[in-house]
Amino acid sequence: MSRFLKPSFEKLVPYTPGEQPKDNKYIKLNTNESPFAPSKKAIAAAKKAAKKLQLYSDPECLALREKLAEIYGAKKEQVIVTNGSDEVLNFAFMTFCDENTPAAFADITYGFYKVFAAVNNVPFVEIPLNEDFTINVNDYCGINKTIFIANPNAPTGIALTLEDIEKILISNPNNIVVIDEAYTGLGAQSAVSLVERYDNLLVTMTFSKTRSMAGARLGFGIGNKDIINDLNTVRYSTNPYNVNSMTLAAGIGSLADEQYTKANCKTIMENRLYTTNELKKRGFSVLDSLSNFVFATHPKLDANELYLKLKENSVLVRHFTLERIKDYNRITIGTKSQMQAFFKILDKICQGDLK
Ligand code: PMP
């Protein structure tokens, strides 16, 4: 810590990203990336855009917004494009939360919400999930706070229905409800269809997961145009060129190849079923996931030890030390052959054949 750090940041605990090893020796099932390459159309578009990097990127992100609006049945004025969906989420904390309107989110959810609250000096409440890690919708009704819900939730993978989300929207008419749909497209219902009806709804999505573009850093939000205007005021007050030209082009390329994304989603859902069944056969309890990961616990295996043993044997999964979930590991769904290799190693560990 330097002597120049402002006192309010002395206790700031930053978000801890999952491990990104530099060598290729790992079967990487720890950060919910897609195991598939980006669409060829995305790669070709990014290459072409690289030739014009002497120019600033389009601060309006117009072409991409138009395409997103078309795909999600919205108007371009209802779309904001950001540097990963982390950025639109951070903008939402900056724009819609303060001491009079604290943030509210689940005790077990995406760990970055707490950090966004802290860095923006926003008070927050954590609402405990039920014993079975589901959300109790009534806990979110009429609470007069800016609500953040990851749907499906992370790291549990459990999703709310649209009826539940609607109930929360209706009961908080004077507060923004942010539905973080980072893992949309894998079986959960999207709340984007509610945007026309509820002016307090902001849906956030990303190209990082199903569109295989985590490294490009591309996210977006869809909501009422006034909400989007407010977010844009903050965006233009921090970094109007928040999304680089290669990423914008890659995004447009990816959207021109929806068949590819859909096919990959189908494969991930099939592999998720395979993984869940195989884990259950081995005595694991697995939460019902509508994401590209599963959250699993075993009555006889220590989750942290298992994580470490898997890592020693070149498989990375994610273990969280938080008390309520310390008995679980989160396993990203990879290709079928990655999952088969994972089970081979898991079985060897369980039989004591591996160190
Ligand atoms: N929301 C949730 C629930 C996530 O798990 C993630 C990925 N870590 C994000 C948002 C942010 O993803 P990105 O910034 O890559 O769009």
Side-chain angles (χ1 to χ4, degrees):
M1 189 186 301
S2 82
R3 64 197 160 89
F4 308 106
L5 182 69
K6 60 182 181 179
S8 61
F9 274 10
E10 278 173 9
K11 294 209 170 81
L12 185 64
V13 182
Y15 177 71
T16 317
E19 295 158 274
Q20 295 291 357
K22 302 292 171 281
D23 47 24
N24 275 335
K25 73 171 195 170
Y26 290 101
I27 300 175
K28 206 173 166 306
L29 308 176
N30 67 328
T31 45
N32 299 343
E33 288 141 328
S34 167
F36 308 114
S39 151
K40 289 197 175 81
K41 291 190 181 176
I43 297 169
K47 270 191 187 160
K48 201 167 158 212
K51 295 185 183 144
K52 290 215 173 144
L53 280 178
Q54 74 274 26
L55 303 176
Y56 281 109
S57 58
D58 173 15
E60 290 188 44
C61 307
L62 189 61
L64 181 59
R65 276 171 45 228
E66 281 175 349
K67 194 70 200 164
L68 285 168
E70 185 190 313
I71 288 177
Y72 290 99
K75 301 187 187 79
K76 64 180 188 302
E77 295 74 27
Q78 295 173 318
V79 184
I80 181 172
V81 176
T82 54
N83 192 308
S85 59
D86 279 338
E87 190 177 49
V88 66
L89 289 164
N90 188 31
F91 285 163
F93 276 85
M94 291 169 84
T95 313
F96 302 118
C97 302
D98 64 11
E99 55 285 358
N100 298 318
T101 317
F105 41 83
D107 63 338
I108 304 296
T109 189
Y110 184 34
F112 222 144
Y113 298 159
K114 232 178 174 170
V115 182
F116 289 139
V119 78
N120 292 303
N121 207 13
V122 163
F124 62 90
V125 293
E126 290 177 280
I127 303 178
L129 295 179
N130 294 323
E131 201 58 39
D132 63 357
F133 296 115
T134 55
I135 280 180
N136 181 355
V137 175
N138 293 328
D139 290 346
Y140 291 78
C141 288
I143 59 173
N144 200 28
K145 299 193 171 49
T146 301
I147 296 172
F148 292 82
I149 296 178
N151 195 48
N153 198 7
T156 65
I158 298 172
L160 281 180
T161 63
L162 269 196
E163 291 76 54
D164 285 339
I165 290 170
E166 219 170 340
K167 205 170 152 192
I168 295 168
L169 285 163
I170 290 169
S171 71
N172 293 284
N174 299 319
N175 290 96
I176 298 279
V177 178
V178 178
I179 303 295
D180 171 356
E181 297 190 354
Y183 301 98
T184 190
L186 298 164
Q189 293 173 293
S190 172
V192 112
S193 59
L194 303 178
V195 160
E196 267 314 313
R197 266 185 286 150
Y198 298 97
D199 68 353
N200 56 335
L201 170 64
L202 174 67
V203 179
T204 65
M205 295 192 206
T206 181
F207 282 68
S208 295
K209 313 295 178 186
T210 56
R211 293 202 163 91
S212 304
M213 281 175 45
R217 311 305 302 127
L218 186 59
F220 58 100
I222 301 183
N224 174 276
K225 76 174 183 0
D226 295 334
I227 294 181
I228 299 299
N229 273 342
D230 293 341
L231 290 166
N232 267 319
T233 303
V234 170
R235 186 172 73 88
Y236 276 88
S237 307
T238 48
N239 183 6
Y241 309 108
N242 58 335
V243 183
N244 73 72
S245 333
M246 283 167 47
T247 291
L248 281 177
I252 295 164
S254 164
L255 295 181
D257 204 358
E258 284 292 86
Q259 292 299 87
Y260 179 71
T261 298
K262 284 196 182 121
N264 287 343
C265 286
K266 187 167 168 278
T267 307
I268 292 295
M269 288 190 281
E270 284 163 8
N271 295 352
R272 182 176 69 204
L273 183 63
Y274 165 76
T275 306
T276 304
N277 289 340
E278 290 296 315
L279 284 167
K280 285 183 176 167
K281 273 189 212 163
R282 290 160 175 84
F284 283 85
S285 302
V286 186
L287 302 187
D288 281 336
S289 171
L290 291 179
S291 294
N292 68 346
F293 55 82
V294 290
F295 205 44
T297 182
H298 194 286
K300 293 200 189 112
L301 297 172
D302 179 276
N304 189 41
E305 265 175 38
L306 179 60
Y307 152 74
L308 291 171
K309 278 196 183 141
L310 284 166
K311 189 173 171 185
E312 271 173 35
N313 292 286
S314 303
V315 179
L316 276 185
V317 298
R318 185 101 196 239
H319 179 257
F320 299 89
T321 50
L322 222 61
E323 184 58 31
R324 261 193 96 175
I325 52 172
K326 66 177 180 11
D327 295 335
Y328 284 76
N329 281 305
R330 192 191 68 191
I331 304 155
T332 302
I333 304 300
T335 60
K336 184 80 180 270
S337 63
Q338 280 180 317
M339 300 326 291
Q340 284 165 336
F342 163 77
F343 282 113
K344 241 187 194 164
I345 292 167
L346 179 67
D347 288 343
K348 284 194 173 167
I349 289 172
C350 294
Q351 286 153 15
D353 293 355
L354 289 176
K355 52 178 174 136

